Amino acid sequence: MNLILSIKTLSDLRLQKDGGQIVDSLLKEKETVVVKPNSPSLVSGYTLINDVDSKPTFVLQVSQDRTIIQQGTWVRNIFLGASLILAVSVGVVFMFIQEREIIKPMMKLVSSVEETTFDSSNSTKKKKNSSSEEIDVLSDAVRTSVNKRLEGMNEVSRMVAHDLRNPLSGIRNATYVLKKNYGENLGEKGNIMLETINTCVEYSDRIVRDLLDYSCEIKLDKIKTTPSKLVKDTLSTIVVPPNIQLINETSSDLSILVDNGRIERVFNNLIKNAFDAMPNGGKLKITDRKVHGGVEISFRDNGVGMSEEAIRKLWTPFFTTKAKGMGIGLSICKRIVEAHGGKVEVKSTLNVGTTFSVYLPI
């Protein structure tokens, strides 16, 4: 074991470095053995030896080379370091495999589903969104499932809309007869109630028309016109609030082939939404420009704006942030524009404003 033994008197040991501390520990604290490293390469143990009178007189010093201990510590540190490196390497490899085999395919699937245009009338149409066959299979399954649900919703909407039209017509005709024949006898309050009934019938009829437009196939009757005429015809049917400044900068230089009635409905919806977004007043600016073989008509307001979450749900049927309405107005607008071969885009910032851009082919 390569031990070095030596015997020293207490006085001699006190003269050495840290010797007094060792002697005091042996005498005062009654420690049997004191172990202390002398240098980086040497460690010593000390114990008292009594004389014939049982008085502590000498100290037995046993010293040992620390090379073995240092080697053990070195090996331990290497083992710990290697274990740490191995653990990190395994973690990195696991994360890489997880990223490549799980996360990326799932992100592709999510992207594929988000880019899918769900249309119950074209539920058999397939579109390859990825080079991965598994992703395409899952995307097709999601598309088919959602389209089946949409088809069921559309069928229910058509049935409800058709069934409600008859009683609404009956109520409208009854109020007309009452007002014509008995209006004078009903008095002011009676006539006010008839007007309220008419207003409610008109609102209900508008919901029925929305349901039919949303659920039925869109058939277009296109004629040649200009963005300026479309906007002017739309504004002629809208009452602009006094606290809103409307700026129409559309021109008559660009010609487009569209269904006037349907596109005017889109513009009507976007303009009224802009008014609703500026309850305290503001400015709505309507512009147009030629872009990539088409025309862009923009409706820019400085209203309350929308959050990113609201923008993501904006085109979702039956989603609305208003107290009234079914939340299918923008969905219908999107369907009408897409039926023309165009698209609708929106940019919005909270407390800054919103811009709806309608792209129509020339």
Side-chain angles (χ1 to χ4, degrees):
M1 295 182 60
N2 196 23
L3 298 176
I4 303 173
L5 302 178
S6 62
I7 297 177
K8 299 179 181 179
T9 62
L10 295 177
S11 57
D12 291 338
L13 184 59
R14 287 184 180 277
L15 298 176
Q16 295 182 3
K17 181 180 179 181
D18 298 330
Q21 183 180 357
I22 295 171
V23 172
D24 292 339
S25 297
L26 291 171
L27 293 176
K28 296 179 180 179
E29 300 180 12
K30 304 299 181 180
E31 294 187 17
T32 306
V33 176
V34 175
V35 179
K36 195 172 186 64
N38 301 97
S39 65
S41 59
L42 191 70
V43 63
S44 298
Y46 303 89
T47 186
L48 289 172
I49 299 177
N50 298 330
D51 57 13
V52 293
D53 297 326
S54 298
K55 294 181 179 180
T57 306
F58 302 98
V59 176
L60 173 64
Q61 178 180 349
V62 181
S63 303
Q64 183 181 9
D65 190 1
R66 300 184 68 190
T67 303
I68 297 176
I69 298 175
Q70 291 175 336
Q71 289 177 346
T73 304
W74 182 69
V75 170
R76 182 196 62 186
N77 293 338
I78 291 179
F79 176 77
L80 292 176
S83 300
L84 180 61
I85 293 173
L86 180 61
V88 172
S89 301
V90 170
V92 170
V93 171
F94 176 76
M95 291 178 63
F96 173 77
I97 295 175
Q98 184 185 44
E99 175 76 16
R100 189 185 67 177
E101 302 296 333
I102 300 177
I103 297 178
K104 282 188 176 180
M106 291 300 296
M107 293 302 295
K108 288 181 180 179
L109 175 61
V110 171
S111 177
S112 173
V113 172
E114 287 180 346
E115 293 174 0
T116 299
T117 300
F118 298 111
D119 188 353
S120 59
S121 61
N122 297 305
S123 58
T124 58
K125 188 182 296 183
K126 294 182 179 180
K127 177 183 177 182
K128 298 298 181 183
N129 297 282
S130 170
S131 58
S132 171
E133 183 178 355
E134 292 84 356
I135 298 299
D136 290 331
V137 171
L138 287 172
S139 299
D140 290 340
V142 172
R143 185 185 300 110
T144 301
S145 176
V146 174
N147 282 332
K148 286 182 178 179
R149 290 180 179 273
L150 285 177
E151 186 176 358
M153 290 172 59
N154 289 344
E155 184 62 29
V156 171
S157 298
R158 285 192 291 268
M159 292 173 59
V160 170
H162 283 297
D163 290 344
L164 283 178
R165 275 196 157 178
N166 289 333
L168 287 175
S169 297
I171 296 173
R172 183 186 289 110
N173 293 335
T175 53
Y176 173 77
V177 172
L178 285 173
K179 186 173 183 179
K180 182 179 179 180
N181 297 332
Y182 306 101
E184 295 181 358
N185 298 329
L186 290 175
E188 183 180 356
K189 289 185 178 180
N191 282 282
I192 291 175
M193 293 181 67
L194 287 178
E195 287 298 326
T196 302
I197 293 173
N198 272 327
T199 302
C200 293
V201 169
E202 288 297 327
Y203 179 74
S204 301
D205 189 60
R206 187 163 62 250
I207 292 177
V208 169
R209 292 198 304 270
D210 286 345
L211 284 172
L212 287 174
D213 289 338
Y214 174 73
S215 59
C216 295
E217 182 182 357
I218 296 178
K219 295 181 180 180
L220 303 178
D221 184 14
K222 296 183 180 180
I223 62 172
K224 190 175 182 179
T225 185
T226 64
S228 177
K229 186 177 186 310
L230 286 170
V231 173
K232 287 180 180 178
D233 289 346
T234 304
L235 292 176
S236 67
T237 62
I238 297 176
V239 178
V240 181
N243 60 348
I244 290 180
Q245 178 188 6
L246 194 147
I247 303 173
N248 180 15
E249 294 184 353
T250 55
S251 66
S252 302
D253 299 332
L254 301 173
S255 296
I256 51 179
L257 196 64
V258 297
D259 187 317
N260 281 19
R262 292 190 180 277
I263 293 299
E264 286 175 16
R265 179 176 181 181
V266 172
F267 290 177
N268 185 292
N269 192 293
L270 296 180
I271 291 172
K272 288 184 176 180
N273 283 348
F275 291 166
D276 293 338
M278 298 182 287
N280 299 321
K283 180 172 66 176
L284 173 62
K285 188 174 183 181
I286 308 174
T287 59
D288 66 346
R289 61 172 182 152
K290 185 177 180 180
V291 288
H292 306 301
V295 176
E296 172 191 329
I297 303 99
S298 296
F299 302 80
R300 180 180 301 171
D301 66 63
N302 58 354
V304 295
M306 291 181 289
S307 64
E308 292 184 2
E309 183 180 0
I311 294 175
R312 284 196 300 270
K313 296 180 179 179
L314 194 61
W315 309 112
T316 303
F318 308 108
F319 169 77
T320 180
T321 57
K322 300 179 182 179
K324 297 177 62 178
M326 295 183 63
I328 59 175
L330 285 176
S331 298
I332 295 173
C333 291
K334 186 172 183 289
R335 288 191 65 207
I336 292 173
V337 175
E338 290 177 348
H340 283 80
K343 61 180 180 178
V344 185
E345 293 183 351
V346 59
K347 295 180 181 178
S348 184
T349 304
L350 277 175
N351 303 318
V352 175
T354 302
T355 300
F356 279 91
S357 299
V358 178
Y359 297 86
L360 295 170
I362 294 178

